[in-house]
Amino acid sequence: MQHTTKAQTRARVVLAAVIAAAALWIGMAFVPAVLWAGVLAIGVEPLRVWLIARLPRPTLVAALLTLGVLLIVLIPLSIAISQAVVEAQSVAGWIADARLHGVPLPDWVARLPWGRDQVTAWWSLHLATPEAAAAEFGKLDHSLWRSHSGALTHTLIRRVVVFGFTLVVLFFLLRDRDNIVRQLERGATRAFGDAGDRLGRQIFAAVRGAVDGMVLLGLAQGILMSILFVIGGVPHPILLGLFSGFASIIPFGLAVVLVLALLLLLAKGAVMAAIVVGAIGYALNFVIDHFLRPSLIGGTTRLPFVWVLIGILGGVETIGLLGLFVGPAVMAALVLLWREWVAEGDIGGAEAGHTAELRP
């Protein structure tokens, strides 16, 4: 058997690092797609296990789950786009009418508890007459939209390509899941020993907790908010409930949808309904964001609430929506390393003290 020298070992490490860096540089644009595919694969793992037990064909199960993810994204997006087109046509007609006849003062302004005179004065100055309304809406510079249309189209095409690549990677991750996990466990154990296996399990648990805490609770919030909007008489309750489900995944995102719902109620003159919907909606959001979501994300990894919050907010600030899942995983790994470091220090100190006691 040929003996490997230290120089050869160092050369192999350097070569591996250079190849890995080159591969990362070449595929940098698709790193988010790979990470998203990993998050989705971890999130649907319980469903995959359930399907494999009843349909022991990994390729078919992977295809079904990938198709399910595609439909979950496309169906709400199609509904939102169709509703947006209808609303855009309605808004365009309203603006055209406002340019010709002005916008009369709404009835709800007279029922405002405060600021009635200020709103009336502003409305009379900017919207009440056709000339004022035409001047106000004329500030919407259509050339600005045209100048950004190219960048918007490029961004949209890029996101579609990345999403398609995510689905491809997800299919192979689900189909070859057992082999991939086995290789990752062997690689982590060989590189870091038992700590590598524990670290991998901690990251897996953190991502699972983030998926449960963000996606499942977001879905529950969307359903609850839809029911609340229907009872409260908010216009377009289903569409706003759908937006609530997506917005609740982002920290403090649901507050924006609630403000929109309250404005729509105030525009109808339903002041009491706006107060009730706002109070119940914000109370529900407070309980879920401050109690249920941190317990789901940090419960499986014993991650303190502060670190959960830092992971979520810092992840979103750094890498966008993907940071909702990657951020808590990174913080969970960091906390695990710290706990093991402190535990080893305590063990080393205890052994040193015990040895000192045995010395004459």
Side-chain angles (χ1 to χ4, degrees), residues 214 247-254 289 293 309 312-313 316 324:
M214 295 295 177
S248 62
I249 298 177
I250 305 172
F252 312 113
L254 183 59
D289 280 351
R293 182 165 285 136
L309 196 60
I312 294 173
L313 298 179
V316 172
L324 290 172

Side-chain angles (χ1 to χ4, degrees), residues 4-20:
T4 303
T5 64
K6 291 183 178 179
Q8 289 175 327
T9 302
R10 286 194 291 267
R12 288 175 58 185
V13 172
V14 172
L15 179 61
V18 170
I19 294 175

Side-chain angles (χ1 to χ4, degrees), residues 34 37-38 41 168-178 180:
V34 175
V168 173
V169 176
L170 175 63
F171 170 78
F172 287 107
L173 285 180
L174 293 174
R175 191 193 67 175
D176 305 325
R177 183 262 181 197
D178 295 337
I180 293 173

Side-chain angles (χ1 to χ4, degrees), residues 138-197:
K139 295 177 182 179
L140 298 175
D141 189 5
H142 297 288
S143 63
L144 181 63
W145 294 103
R146 287 195 298 268
S147 63
H148 289 281
S149 61
L152 181 62
T153 303
H154 179 269
T155 301
L156 181 61
I157 294 175
R158 183 177 179 275
R159 291 189 181 278
V160 170
V161 171
V162 171
F163 178 65
F165 187 74
T166 300
L167 293 178
V168 173
V169 176
L170 175 63
F171 170 78
F172 287 107
L173 285 180
L174 293 174
R175 191 193 67 175
D176 305 325
R177 183 262 181 197
D178 295 337
N179 187 37
I180 293 173
V181 170
R182 184 164 53 250
Q183 291 184 20
L184 289 176
E185 288 177 347
R186 290 180 59 187
T189 303
R190 184 176 179 183
F192 307 107
D194 294 337
D197 182 64

